[in-house]
Amino acid sequence: MNLDHLLDQLDLDTKILLLSGSGAWTTAAVPAIGLREISVSDGPVGVRGTSRDDWAASAAFPSGSATAASWDVELLHRLGAALAAEAVRKGVDVVLGPTINLHRTPLGGRHFECMAEDPHLTGELAAAYVRGLQQAGIGACPKHYVANDAETDRMSVDNLVDERTLHELYLAPFETVVADAAPWTVMAAYNGVDGAPMTENDLLAEPLKGSWGFDGLVVSDWGAVYDGERAVTAGTDLSMPGPEPRYAGLADAVRAGRVPGSAVDDAVRRLLLLAARTGALEGSPAPDRPTAGRVEDLSPLAREAAAAGSVLLTNDGVLPLTGAGRVALVGPGAADIRALGGGSAIVFPPHLVTPLAGLRAAGVDVVTAPGCLLAEGLRQVRPDELVDEVTVRWLDADGAVVAEQGAATANLVRITAEFPAGAVALELTCRFRPDQDGEWQLGVSGAGEHRLTVAGTELLHRAHLDAPATPPCCSARPRRRRPASRCAPARTSRWRCTGCPTRRRSSSSAAWSCRVPGPGTTPS
């Protein structure tokens, strides 16, 4: 396909339009040349989807650090292929993964996403992951280029790295992936390296697009473009999400000669190449993609990957366990599984098997105790505690429904740019089944006004964020009390916006709770 011919049909303003997204997870479309939107989705442990269906269930695979512990290139290739099938099911063209930064400090908050501290192991496994995705017609996006190995001040830190360390450690896994798997995109990081943010850094031109021969698209991390003119000049091809406000004067900058027109053309050409590879450009060959399957069918592979990444360091003769003795499972993770990290690696699996449930299902006589609490606030509802699908309704100022969708989770996050037109409030309805008798605390969190209603009775109402931090019905920590009678089976929670579930109050979130009796099918 002659991409230059298509490029010649675009005026400067249309080219600038293509340099940033049309929303949180899509690129801009130009129907005049047969270009549709390209959809991208967070990875790397699963395909969450775009705003159309990101709350729906997705397969959840082990984290990068777990799969890397397998040292199994073939397994990583199969995981990539499985993610491609999930991407087809979710209508996604590019999966934003794998994460191939290095475990260079124990304080790295996203190290669970990354594979290892070793650049060779990381590069070899990541290349297999990318090949598995792209051989199935779905683009991969290794991230975050480069030296994004800690979360502290990640949007402002300038990492000073000498030349040898930079090339032999931090750049090495990216070099391997580019050479061995030819990824269709690479993500530029928030941080700076040796004086310039990565979206404005010379390392985009050399070695990435230069001596390495990377012919794909460089996409910014979400919100990582700080100066539009410098970013485009340096080689950031696509700013996400979009539209990018820092590109408002970009056309004038090109006309004035501050930004080379060749830089804009190169960025658009790379976007068109990505569109051709993903089937988003009319006239390009359709990618050979797998048939969308059921999320439940991927459970055996997820289990295999988890087992492959479990490494037994020593055994003093205790294992394997034999006989019908009792097993004590102590700790909050016994029944409150931490199966996923947060942020970009979060997906909503259709079910989770806790260690307690797994051992009991295997016929083991288990006694358990939480031992301690790992968080101040209430935990999130597990998928296995939800009865049927969660219903989410977007409401206008008069309370009329403007949009409705299902969700596999009661933990909802959405940026305001992705709200349905006219929506000012969100109503979430679900049914919650406790796993034990007793008195339960129920709560909601987020920004703005909140109401918690159980069986038609309003239990909690907070009209403003500056209301008292601890209402009379709240207590500081979740805890069980004496068994009580069955609670009514319906619940509606309504609030103005969504946020992170925490009791710690800030300018954008608040959380509060009250206690209601269980057991049975009970509101959450």
Side-chain angles (χ1 to χ4, degrees):
M1 173 169 282
N2 189 340
L3 300 182
D4 286 330
H5 174 67
L6 296 177
L7 187 63
D8 291 340
Q9 299 179 45
L10 303 176
D11 59 27
L12 179 59
D13 290 334
T14 304
K15 292 176 182 178
I16 301 300
L17 175 72
L18 291 173
L19 299 187
S20 67
S22 62
W25 307 108
T26 53
T27 64
V30 183
I33 62 169
L35 176 64
R36 66 162 173 84
E37 292 179 339
I38 300 170
S39 297
V40 305
S41 171
D42 269 336
V45 301
V47 183
R48 192 166 65 242
T50 66
S51 301
R52 296 186 302 270
D53 63 354
D54 57 345
W55 292 335
S58 299
F61 294 104
S63 64
S65 56
T67 56
S70 71
W71 294 67
D72 190 334
V73 172
E74 191 270 338
L75 174 63
L76 268 293
H77 187 278
R78 287 194 289 137
L79 288 173
L83 289 169
E86 278 285 271
V88 172
R89 189 175 64 85
K90 289 274 190 171
V92 167
D93 299 302
V94 178
V95 173
L96 303 176
T99 307
I100 58 174
N101 299 115
L102 300 180
H103 296 185
R104 295 292 289 166
T105 165
L107 303 180
R110 292 178 70 175
H111 278 175
F112 64 92
E113 286 186 49
C114 309
M115 292 184 172
E117 73 279 7
D118 180 79
H120 177 69
L121 176 64
T122 297
E124 293 295 324
L125 294 178
Y129 176 113
V130 170
R131 288 192 296 268
L133 267 170
Q134 295 188 168
Q135 287 172 5
I138 299 297
C141 185
K143 59 185 184 182
H144 310 83
Y145 185 83
V146 62
N148 183 188
D149 303 279
E151 289 296 279
T152 304
D153 299 325
R154 67 174 180 172
M155 301 187 76
S156 58
V157 66
D158 182 20
N159 294 323
L160 305 180
V161 189
D162 68 83
E163 194 75 8
R164 180 178 179 182
T165 303
L166 181 63
H167 282 268
E168 294 185 4
L169 288 177
Y170 299 108
L171 286 171
F174 289 93
E175 183 177 13
T176 298
V177 172
V178 170
D180 294 350
W184 297 348
T185 70
V186 165
M187 185 182 293
Y190 289 115
N191 58 279
V193 172
D194 295 333
M198 279 311 305
T199 52
E200 306 169 20
N201 203 289
D202 292 342
L203 292 170
L204 297 179
E206 184 59 45
L208 181 59
K209 294 182 177 180
S211 57
W212 291 357
F214 174 67
D215 69 352
L217 177 112
V218 172
V219 58
S220 74
D221 205 339
W222 268 229
V225 167
Y226 312 118
D227 185 297
E229 295 183 17
R230 292 178 180 175
V232 174
T233 301
T236 297
D237 304 311
L238 176 65
S239 175
M240 290 294 287
E244 174 56 71
R246 292 177 178 84
Y247 287 177
L250 201 54
D252 291 338
V254 174
R255 295 185 183 101
R258 297 194 304 273
V259 173
S262 59
V264 173
D265 286 348
D266 182 65
V268 175
R269 188 181 295 107
R270 289 171 183 267
L271 177 73
L272 294 176
L273 178 58
L274 176 64
R277 285 169 165 169
T278 58
L281 192 59
E282 288 182 10
S284 59
D288 186 13
R289 290 178 171 174
T291 302
R294 300 187 313 155
V295 62
E296 295 84 357
D297 295 337
L298 295 175
S299 294
L301 179 58
R303 182 187 179 99
E304 177 189 347
S310 301
V311 180
L312 178 63
L313 299 180
T314 61
N315 183 10
D316 58 5
V318 173
L319 299 176
L321 297 174
T322 59
R326 302 182 78 193
V327 173
L329 201 57
V330 180
D336 182 14
I337 186 173
R338 303 299 175 94
L340 295 159
S344 300
I346 192 71
V347 293
F348 306 111
H351 68 274
L352 291 172
V353 180
T354 67
L356 179 61
L359 286 172
R360 284 178 172 168
V364 179
D365 182 12
V366 184
V367 294
T368 185
C372 65
L373 294 173
L374 298 181
E376 294 180 353
L378 306 182
R379 65 170 174 84
Q380 296 177 12
V381 180
R382 297 194 308 267
D384 57 287
E385 295 173 321
L386 289 171
V387 181
D388 301 323
E389 192 173 56
V390 175
T391 300
V392 181
R393 296 184 181 91
W394 297 89
L395 310 177
D396 64 16
D398 297 323
V401 177
V402 298
E404 181 175 324
Q405 64 189 108
T409 177
N411 177 35
L412 309 177
V413 178
R414 178 72 80 242
I415 62 174
T416 54
E418 295 296 301
F419 286 5
V424 300
L426 186 67
E427 181 183 84
L428 180 152
T429 305
C430 69
R431 290 163 64 91
F432 170 69
R433 178 183 289 123
D435 59 1
Q436 58 182 308
D437 295 348
E439 191 172 77
W440 286 72
Q441 284 187 292
L442 309 178
V444 295
S445 67
E449 182 179 3
H450 294 61
R451 296 179 187 272
L452 176 62
T453 304
V454 176
T457 301
E458 183 179 290
L459 298 184
L460 294 171
H461 178 209
R462 169 167 285 180
H464 305 287
L465 283 176
D466 56 359
T470 307
C473 63
C474 295
S475 61
R477 295 181 182 275
R479 59 183 181 271
R480 286 187 63 233
R481 291 196 172 187
R482 63 187 183 280
S485 60
R486 182 179 299 271
C487 186
R491 171 265 194 194
T492 298
S493 172
R494 176 176 173 179
W495 60 95
R496 293 287 174 182
C497 184
T498 58
C500 177
T502 174
R503 290 185 61 87
R504 192 173 294 113
R505 298 183 67 232
S506 68
S507 59
S508 62
S509 69
W512 33 282
S513 63
C514 70
R515 293 187 295 275
V516 297
T521 302
T522 309
S524 167

